[in-house]
Amino acid sequence: MSVGTGGRRLERLLLAVLTLYGLALIVPDFYRLARPLGSFGFFANNDGLIFDVKGPFAEESASPAWQAGLRVGDRIDLPKMRCIPVDTNTCATMLAARGGQQRVMPGRVGALWLAEGSPRAGERIDLAARTPPSNWLLDLIVFLDQGAGALFLLGAAWLVWIRPGPMTWGFFIYAVQFNPGQEFEFYARLQQWPAALLAQEVASGLFQAAGYAGFILFALRAPTGRIETQWRPLERALPALTIALGAISVLAVGSAFGYRTEVLTRIVLIAGLFVSVLVLFILLARRKDLEPQDFQRLRWVIWGCLIGLPACVVASLAQSTSLIEFSLTEDAIGLLFLINGILGIFVVEAIRRPRVINVSIPLRRATVLGLLLSAPALFLHGQIEELHDWIHLPAWASLVIASILLFAISRLHEHGVRLLEGLFDPDRRGAEARFAQMERAILAARSADEIDRLLTEGPARALALSSAAVYRSDGDQMRRYENGVGWTPEMAVVLDPNAPLLAGKTIGPSFEIDPERTRQSDFPQGPQQPALALPVADALRCFAVALYGAQTSGASLDGADRHALEKLAAAASAAYARVEREALRARIAALETQASTGTAPASGALG
């Protein structure tokens, strides 16, 4: 086994271990849908300051903390509750109470002491965790968050698997810590072993620091994996940044040992805000250095960051600290984390594909989805408690309801997008009219050469394609009779239908061309490199294959464009067949004339 092979195996083993670790943090929260977690009914920051005594309960009067006499502004006695020794109920309670929103196992009893200045200072306060009432909306959001978190993490891991390198590893480390999934169940179970929970909090702090640095590394190299010279000093500074933020994150755990560390917690969270701004600055600054098709891929990353990062930052601040003065409900925080999942979708799409469609298309569809769902979401948010009181269902029913709602939403979105794009997208309507005109022209064509020209020049103009050429069937090979768009006479004139480029695909729908198949001087290179192959065939034979480049903007053709081209190919196959039939009739007529007059017919060729 070579050193390279051994290193690759170790890399994949590390990837598998970290992926399982990340999934172990978020997958257990699915169990919350069947058996909700409990809460002490208050939230405290890392200075011990209690800033909320309602917690996840609908009213303060239902909170165990409120019933026990805790009030906003009380402060936990950190020195008295420090984790020395670690394996005590006091330490477990301290770890369950600090650091913002937390959950505990149902029925758990905790012991709490308040500092001087509180009415019950010096007293031991026993708190029994209660399970807050659940509702369908929150259960649905938890279900979506955990599913999105798992897909976010697995997508990032898959990028490392297929394209290992600093770029994909950086995003993967970020995904381990900053995916949309929630980790309440995992931490609630670890509270039974305070030493393990402390170790996990230290590990979480280190992953948070590494995630920030990894995200910057990703921004410096996306989407190609290469870095420009002017950005190398920043890349070399990332280890120092990781060490500094990691040290601050670990020191923030000091509140478990009696020290006030809210300032350190806020430094780390605000650092996340600055990292988000820095990443956007880097991505925007690097746009001008990329080829058109890579520029389109980078636009996906930029828009993913613009949508996902603000949602993630606000949700993290609301969940982990008292830094922001306004409070967000648990379902609102869950929705913000869910929006952050868009970042993962856009990044995976941009990195895994050498060419992508224009990012405005999915953005437009997402906007349509938001408009369609805004009114029902507002209604459910306001009325869900009353609906829950009217209709009593077992906890497992939330899973069934969530699945049904997901299916209904997907169908509604599909039909809504089709309807609204047809009404409000003038470019799409114009393209459809141009393609209808091209179909009529192809069906009226009098020669195969004319069909070739219509199949190249028409789509190239209508879709702003960088290149287009048609290879027509000629015995056991495909031959290019016209130069087309973006092609020269010196480029490949003949294609073997059994070669890897076309093998087994000359009858069927359009398909994307592997860039490696056309990386040679016989084909256009750079922005004009062929990106899509369109078989022109009926059920029995292939008449021709059209090769199209990406759009001049660098964007790939979307599904609607490919569908329009496939309709055009169907018309072209009928036209080629008609031209062949007419040529055969002319040939037969000439032979009949020869037989009747005894003269030789004029020679001719099809086309």
Side-chain angles (χ1 to χ4, degrees), residues 17-94:
V17 170
L18 292 179
T19 302
L20 291 175
Y21 167 74
L23 291 174
L25 293 175
I26 59 177
V27 170
D29 263 56
F30 279 114
Y31 191 53
R32 290 172 54 195
L33 301 175
R35 191 232 52 207
L37 291 171
S39 172
F40 289 137
F42 76 96
F43 302 139
N45 65 20
N46 279 326
D47 279 350
L49 178 66
I50 296 174
F51 60 90
D52 187 305
V53 291
K54 184 174 71 172
F57 297 91
E59 302 291 340
E60 285 184 341
S61 58
S63 164
W66 175 271
Q67 295 172 359
L70 272 66
R71 296 295 182 265
V72 172
D74 287 346
R75 193 179 294 274
I76 298 172
D77 191 340
L78 296 181
K80 193 165 187 176
M81 294 193 65
R82 65 185 184 274
C83 287
I84 300 176
V86 173
D87 292 320
T88 63
N89 185 46
T90 300
C91 179
T93 304
M94 181 63 203

Side-chain angles (χ1 to χ4, degrees), residues 338-353:
L338 185 61
I339 292 172
N340 180 46
I342 294 175
L343 171 61
I345 296 173
F346 278 35
V347 166
V348 170
E349 185 71 8
I351 302 304
R352 76 183 182 94
R353 291 181 178 274

Side-chain angles (χ1 to χ4, degrees), residues 296-381:
Q296 291 294 336
R297 296 166 68 195
L298 191 68
R299 288 186 66 207
W300 277 72
V301 178
I302 291 172
W303 275 103
C305 291
L306 286 172
I307 296 170
L309 292 182
C312 181
V313 169
V314 173
S316 298
L317 289 174
Q319 189 178 69
S320 304
T321 180
S322 58
L323 179 61
I324 57 177
E325 295 183 359
F326 61 90
S327 60
L328 294 176
T329 60
E330 188 174 0
D331 54 356
I333 292 174
L335 281 174
L336 288 173
F337 279 127
L338 185 61
I339 292 172
N340 180 46
I342 294 175
L343 171 61
I345 296 173
F346 278 35
V347 166
V348 170
E349 185 71 8
I351 302 304
R352 76 183 182 94
R353 291 181 178 274
R355 304 179 186 90
V356 292
I357 64 174
N358 195 312
V359 71
S360 64
I361 295 172
L363 288 176
R364 185 166 61 241
R365 293 173 180 173
T367 302
V368 170
L369 177 62
L371 292 174
L372 289 173
L373 297 182
S374 57
L378 289 173
F379 170 78
L380 284 175
H381 188 271

Side-chain angles (χ1 to χ4, degrees), residues 542-565:
C542 176
F543 296 96
V545 173
L547 303 183
Y548 297 112
Q551 294 178 315
T552 53
S553 64
S556 183
L557 298 175
D558 69 351
D561 294 332
R562 292 175 63 167
H563 179 67
L565 287 172

Side-chain angles (χ1 to χ4, degrees), residues 588-602:
I588 291 171
L591 290 173
E592 289 175 345
T593 301
Q594 176 190 11
S596 62
T597 62
T599 59

Side-chain angles (χ1 to χ4, degrees), residues 140-175:
L140 175 61
I141 292 172
V142 170
F143 178 80
L144 294 175
D145 277 346
Q146 302 317 112
L151 292 176
F152 192 113
L153 180 60
L154 291 173
W158 182 58
L159 291 180
V160 177
W161 189 273
I162 62 173
R163 291 192 59 185
M167 174 186 69
T168 51
W169 268 107
F171 184 71
F172 172 72
I173 297 299
Y174 174 83

Side-chain angles (χ1 to χ4, degrees), residues 576-595:
Y576 279 126
R578 177 181 53 77
V579 168
E580 283 190 356
R581 288 195 301 270
E582 291 177 353
L584 287 173
R585 290 193 188 102
R587 181 65 174 168
I588 291 171
L591 290 173
E592 289 175 345
T593 301
Q594 176 190 11

